[in-house]
Amino acid sequence: MTENLEQQLRVAFAQKAAAISSESSARLRASDYHPRRHAIPSGRSVGAGLAVAVSLVIGIGLLLLLHSGARSKSTAATPTSPSVTQPVGTPAVLAEIHRQAGSLVGSDTAFTAELHALHGYPVIVIAWASWCQPCQQQSALLQAASRRYGNKVAFIGADTSDTAGKTFLANHALNYPSYQLTVKQLSSITPIHGIPITIFIDPAGNVVHVQAGKYLTHGTLSADIAQYALGAL
Amino acid sequence: MSRVRWSFDDFVNGYVDDLLRTAFLITWDESEAEDLVQECLLRVAKRWPRVRGMEMPVAYARRILVNLALDGRGRRSRNRRELDSAADRISPAYQAALDLPDLDAEADLDRLGQRSELVVALGQLTPQQRTVLVLRYFQDLSEAQVADILGCSIGTVKSSASRGLARLRELVSSPRQTEVAEP
């Protein structure tokens, strides 16, 4: 009974939260908060220098990763999951992803290689962690989306748990495969400010949208998929 | 766990919706929520060089936001809030929220009546009563995380959450007999 009310409460909050207009958030995004005005000048230039250095290192690292990834195509054999069904007409490369559902397929090298192999298809990278409650809460939405759009869009998990990811996957069936990455490795694609984060990559390999924080409704997730994944096709 | 340093703009873009919805659900008032989030982000911006190095900058922002919301800063009069909540029941935005086609369509049809009652009941709680519920069931934070944000003990979080749930159950189970007894 209590559990039931708690569940209904989650839905009621999500419904009410959806009533908020997009203008409020647009206004808040557009506001100028002048963060730099308050920064200590010397700290700022040091910070800027560091930022340039870090992005250079990340950039070079990414180039190297792409290079090695392209040469050593992922060959990791993965357990099949009989429960996963895929729509007829799924391209081979996406069908392979469905076959890898629920498993940890590799680390950052394999992940980079996979992104490379997926050029030509929109990719949605879902960063999660075993300890992340909001990740688990949005999991049902993403799984439904993966079932629905998996024949056109590649859904790939990025497990940023330190060690518990495998145990988590043993207890929770995900219908997409995951790669084990650190947040740092993942941020070679786009800045990562926290988990959950969902990254939309277009068929040309560019990050086109980043959802920071969990998805609250099927509606917002579907809208983003339509705009940033299917829209690119 | 490595920490990624990010820009304030990225932080705003990434979390403004999260903060805005949290404030909205606590205050039950969109323009008040917008004011609160703006004030909260101004404060975060002021301390950004320090905040950006934190493991969870958003946790810090949420703490500021909740404190602002419960502080009474920018809080409107009870009358105003009641008017708003009455307008809520028929406003197009509210109606649109109920008409959402998402969220397990089938189960929704079963419980839609009850759920919309629940939304109305939530609107009758005080912001204080709602805060714990918002943090626990909208943000899905643990009792310990909620205690950290509110600056109280886990025991207090547990008891306020169960009082809030009990009040909701009361409001939902007999809304018509008692009408709205809450002052």
Side-chain angles (χ1 to χ4, degrees):
Chain A
M1 175 63 195
T2 301
E3 206 163 290
N4 191 24
L5 180 62
E6 290 177 357
Q7 206 43 48
Q8 289 177 20
L9 199 50
R10 288 192 170 90
V11 177
F13 276 138
Q15 282 184 338
K16 177 72 182 173
I20 208 158
S21 73
S22 54
E23 284 90 46
S24 292
S25 108
R27 272 194 299 271
L28 286 167
R29 278 175 213 272
S31 293
D32 188 359
Y33 302 98
H34 296 297
R36 283 175 201 89
R37 191 181 293 168
H38 305 283
I40 303 159
S42 65
R44 188 174 73 206
S45 59
V46 170
L50 269 179
V52 171
V54 166
S55 49
L56 267 178
V57 168
I58 288 176
I60 292 169
L62 182 59
L63 278 177
L64 286 175
L65 275 178
L66 278 172
H67 190 60
S68 63
R71 272 185 307 169
S72 67
K73 211 73 167 177
S74 167
T75 50
T78 48
T80 53
S81 173
S83 62
V84 177
T85 53
Q86 47 189 292
V88 185
T90 306
V93 63
L94 297 185
E96 176 62 18
I97 290 177
H98 284 278
R99 272 191 292 278
Q100 296 171 335
S103 54
L104 276 179
V105 235
S107 59
D108 62 320
T109 326
F111 176 72
T112 313
E114 180 68 14
L115 287 188
H116 197 73
L118 283 167
H119 270 204
Y121 299 95
V123 180
I124 297 178
V125 178
I126 303 141
W128 60 273
S130 56
W131 44 261
C132 165
Q133 293 299 320
C135 300
Q136 291 162 36
Q137 218 222 341
Q138 72 165 1
S139 166
L141 301 184
L142 286 158
Q143 298 209 57
S146 161
R147 265 195 301 280
R148 190 159 162 200
Y149 303 108
N151 59 338
K152 295 193 182 75
V153 181
F155 288 77
I156 293 182
D159 168 25
T160 63
S161 321
D162 287 338
T163 51
K166 209 162 195 168
T167 322
F168 179 84
L169 285 174
N171 296 307
H172 300 78
L174 296 184
N175 63 3
Y176 44 82
S178 293
Y179 291 80
Q180 235 175 344
L181 298 171
T182 63
V183 168
K184 202 169 184 177
Q185 286 164 342
L186 192 59
S187 44
S188 64
I189 308 178
T190 189
I192 308 296
H193 316 312
I195 307 290
I197 188 165
T198 308
I199 304 162
F200 291 71
I201 302 175
D202 74 3
N206 305 310
V207 173
V208 284
H209 180 63
V210 174
Q211 160 77 21
K214 72 179 173 188
Y215 275 104
L216 299 171
T217 64
H218 286 291
T220 48
L221 175 58
S222 300
D224 279 356
I225 291 175
Q227 184 175 354
Y228 300 108
L230 302 176
L233 287 176
Chain B
M1 189 76 154
S2 62
R3 291 175 193 183
V4 180
R5 302 202 136 216
W6 32 321
S7 75
F8 181 74
D9 287 349
D10 283 342
F11 177 79
V12 171
N13 276 323
Y15 284 105
V16 73
D17 286 325
D18 179 299
L19 295 170
L20 181 61
R21 281 165 175 75
T22 303
F24 176 53
L25 293 177
I26 290 174
T27 59
W28 223 244
D29 180 311
E30 184 166 341
S31 52
E32 187 176 351
E34 196 180 324
D35 290 349
L36 286 170
V37 173
Q38 186 161 39
E39 176 62 27
C40 163
L41 288 174
L42 280 168
R43 293 187 183 202
V44 172
K46 214 185 251 179
R47 298 168 183 79
W48 185 245
R50 192 164 60 82
V51 178
R52 71 187 307 200
M54 295 177 177
E55 195 155 357
M56 287 284 287
V58 69
Y60 176 79
R62 281 190 194 125
R63 197 176 313 146
I64 294 186
L65 184 71
V66 167
N67 284 331
L68 285 171
L70 297 183
D71 226 8
R73 220 161 294 229
R75 196 193 295 168
R76 294 170 189 216
S77 71
R78 178 175 294 277
N79 282 344
R80 170 65 201 268
R81 213 162 39 237
E82 276 172 5
L83 278 177
D84 285 349
S85 119
D88 241 5
R89 287 167 220 176
I90 46 162
S91 80
Y94 178 66
Q95 204 53 50
L98 293 181
D99 290 339
L100 273 185
D102 347 318
L103 303 164
D104 309 272
E106 261 179 69
D108 243 19
L109 286 175
D110 279 346
R111 292 179 296 195
L112 190 60
Q114 201 182 345
R115 277 196 195 141
S116 55
E117 274 179 41
L118 193 56
V119 173
V120 173
L122 275 168
Q124 292 169 7
L125 298 182
T126 64
Q128 283 78 3
Q129 286 172 319
R130 269 197 304 267
T131 301
V132 174
L133 300 179
V134 169
L135 295 174
R136 284 285 284 135
Y137 302 113
F138 177 68
Q139 290 282 352
D140 265 320
L141 300 176
S142 70
E143 283 163 347
Q145 287 169 314
V146 177
D148 189 42
I149 287 180
L150 296 177
C152 64
S153 70
I154 293 183
T156 308
V157 171
K158 280 184 185 168
S159 58
S160 347
S162 69
R163 265 201 309 276
L165 288 175
R167 180 82 189 104
L168 273 182
R169 211 172 280 124
E170 246 172 67
L171 287 165
V172 171
S173 62
S174 54
R176 278 170 199 92
Q177 291 153 15
T178 59
E179 273 308 320
V180 181
E182 181 76 352

